[in-house]
Short mmCIF file of all heavy atoms in Angstrom, two decimals:
data_model
loop_
_atom_site.label_atom_id
_atom_site.label_comp_id
_atom_site.label_asym_id
_atom_site.label_seq_id
_atom_site.Cartn_x
_atom_site.Cartn_y
_atom_site.Cartn_z
N SER A 6 20.05 6.03 -11.09
CA SER A 6 20.81 6.67 -12.16
C SER A 6 21.42 7.92 -11.56
O SER A 6 20.69 8.79 -11.06
CB SER A 6 19.88 7.01 -13.32
OG SER A 6 20.64 7.49 -14.40
N ALA A 30 22.33 -0.82 -8.86
CA ALA A 30 22.71 -0.86 -10.28
C ALA A 30 22.53 0.54 -10.84
O ALA A 30 21.50 1.18 -10.61
CB ALA A 30 21.82 -1.85 -11.02
N ASP A 31 23.54 1.00 -11.57
CA ASP A 31 23.44 2.34 -12.18
C ASP A 31 22.93 2.19 -13.61
O ASP A 31 23.51 1.47 -14.41
CB ASP A 31 24.80 3.03 -12.16
CG ASP A 31 24.68 4.49 -12.57
OD1 ASP A 31 24.00 5.25 -11.86
OD2 ASP A 31 25.23 4.86 -13.62
N PHE A 35 21.17 8.09 -20.61
CA PHE A 35 21.59 8.68 -21.89
C PHE A 35 22.01 7.62 -22.90
O PHE A 35 21.96 7.84 -24.10
CB PHE A 35 22.69 9.72 -21.66
CG PHE A 35 22.17 10.89 -20.86
CD1 PHE A 35 22.47 11.02 -19.52
CD2 PHE A 35 21.31 11.81 -21.44
CE1 PHE A 35 21.95 12.06 -18.77
CE2 PHE A 35 20.77 12.86 -20.71
CZ PHE A 35 21.10 12.98 -19.37
N GLY A 49 8.86 -2.98 -16.34
CA GLY A 49 7.52 -2.67 -16.84
C GLY A 49 7.33 -1.24 -17.27
O GLY A 49 6.30 -0.89 -17.85
N VAL A 53 13.53 5.11 -13.92
CA VAL A 53 14.18 4.79 -12.65
C VAL A 53 13.71 5.83 -11.63
O VAL A 53 13.34 6.94 -12.03
CB VAL A 53 15.71 4.82 -12.77
CG1 VAL A 53 16.24 3.56 -13.41
CG2 VAL A 53 16.21 6.06 -13.51
N ASP A 59 13.54 -9.78 -3.51
CA ASP A 59 14.13 -11.11 -3.66
C ASP A 59 13.16 -12.11 -4.28
O ASP A 59 13.56 -13.10 -4.88
CB ASP A 59 14.63 -11.61 -2.29
CG ASP A 59 15.83 -10.79 -1.81
OD1 ASP A 59 16.48 -10.14 -2.66
OD2 ASP A 59 16.10 -10.78 -0.60
N ASN A 60 11.84 -11.85 -4.13
CA ASN A 60 10.85 -12.76 -4.74
C ASN A 60 10.55 -12.41 -6.20
O ASN A 60 9.66 -12.99 -6.81
CB ASN A 60 9.56 -12.79 -3.91
CG ASN A 60 8.83 -11.45 -3.97
OD1 ASN A 60 9.21 -10.54 -4.71
ND2 ASN A 60 7.76 -11.33 -3.19
N VAL A 63 8.68 -6.21 -8.53
CA VAL A 63 9.39 -4.94 -8.79
C VAL A 63 8.48 -3.77 -8.41
O VAL A 63 7.32 -3.74 -8.80
CB VAL A 63 9.81 -4.84 -10.27
CG1 VAL A 63 10.43 -3.47 -10.56
CG2 VAL A 63 10.82 -5.94 -10.61
N LEU A 83 10.52 8.81 8.47
CA LEU A 83 10.37 9.87 7.46
C LEU A 83 8.94 10.02 6.96
O LEU A 83 8.64 10.95 6.21
CB LEU A 83 11.28 9.56 6.26
CG LEU A 83 12.78 9.51 6.54
CD1 LEU A 83 13.54 8.99 5.33
CD2 LEU A 83 13.30 10.89 6.93
N THR A 98 4.27 16.14 1.31
CA THR A 98 5.05 15.45 0.27
C THR A 98 4.36 15.64 -1.08
O THR A 98 5.00 15.91 -2.10
CB THR A 98 5.17 13.95 0.61
OG1 THR A 98 5.79 13.83 1.89
CG2 THR A 98 6.00 13.21 -0.42
N LEU A 111 10.27 19.60 -14.99
CA LEU A 111 9.87 19.90 -16.37
C LEU A 111 10.63 21.11 -16.91
O LEU A 111 10.96 21.18 -18.10
CB LEU A 111 8.35 20.10 -16.46
CG LEU A 111 7.55 18.79 -16.34
CD1 LEU A 111 6.06 19.08 -16.22
CD2 LEU A 111 7.81 17.87 -17.53
N ALA A 150 8.66 29.51 7.71
CA ALA A 150 8.83 30.58 8.69
C ALA A 150 8.41 30.08 10.07
O ALA A 150 8.93 30.52 11.09
CB ALA A 150 7.99 31.80 8.29
N PHE A 154 11.13 22.35 9.29
CA PHE A 154 11.05 21.48 8.11
C PHE A 154 9.65 21.59 7.50
O PHE A 154 8.73 22.13 8.11
CB PHE A 154 11.37 20.03 8.50
CG PHE A 154 12.79 19.83 8.93
CD1 PHE A 154 13.14 19.88 10.29
CD2 PHE A 154 13.79 19.61 8.00
CE1 PHE A 154 14.46 19.72 10.69
CE2 PHE A 154 15.12 19.45 8.39
CZ PHE A 154 15.45 19.50 9.74
N ILE A 165 12.80 15.93 1.47
CA ILE A 165 13.68 15.27 0.50
C ILE A 165 13.18 15.53 -0.91
O ILE A 165 13.94 15.89 -1.81
CB ILE A 165 13.78 13.75 0.85
CG1 ILE A 165 14.44 13.60 2.22
CG2 ILE A 165 14.53 12.99 -0.24
CD1 ILE A 165 14.41 12.19 2.80
N PHE A 173 18.15 20.04 -8.38
CA PHE A 173 18.16 19.66 -9.80
C PHE A 173 17.93 20.90 -10.67
O PHE A 173 18.52 21.05 -11.74
CB PHE A 173 17.08 18.61 -10.03
CG PHE A 173 17.03 18.05 -11.43
CD1 PHE A 173 18.12 17.37 -11.99
CD2 PHE A 173 15.88 18.18 -12.21
CE1 PHE A 173 18.07 16.84 -13.27
CE2 PHE A 173 15.82 17.66 -13.49
CZ PHE A 173 16.92 17.00 -14.03
N MET A 176 20.31 23.26 -12.64
CA MET A 176 20.72 23.01 -14.03
C MET A 176 20.03 23.97 -15.00
O MET A 176 20.49 24.17 -16.11
CB MET A 176 20.39 21.58 -14.45
CG MET A 176 21.32 20.54 -13.87
SD MET A 176 20.81 18.87 -14.32
CE MET A 176 21.18 18.83 -16.06
N ALA A 197 23.53 20.64 3.89
CA ALA A 197 24.59 20.28 4.85
C ALA A 197 24.44 18.85 5.38
O ALA A 197 25.34 18.34 6.05
CB ALA A 197 24.57 21.26 6.02
N ALA A 203 24.38 11.60 -1.42
CA ALA A 203 24.02 10.29 -1.99
C ALA A 203 23.32 10.48 -3.33
O ALA A 203 22.45 11.32 -3.48
CB ALA A 203 23.10 9.55 -1.02
#
Side-chain angles (χ1 to χ4, degrees):
S6 186
D31 189 63
F35 295 104
V53 281
D59 291 340
N60 67 6
V63 175
L83 298 171
T98 302
L111 287 171
F154 293 94
I165 296 171
F173 184 61
M176 285 177 70

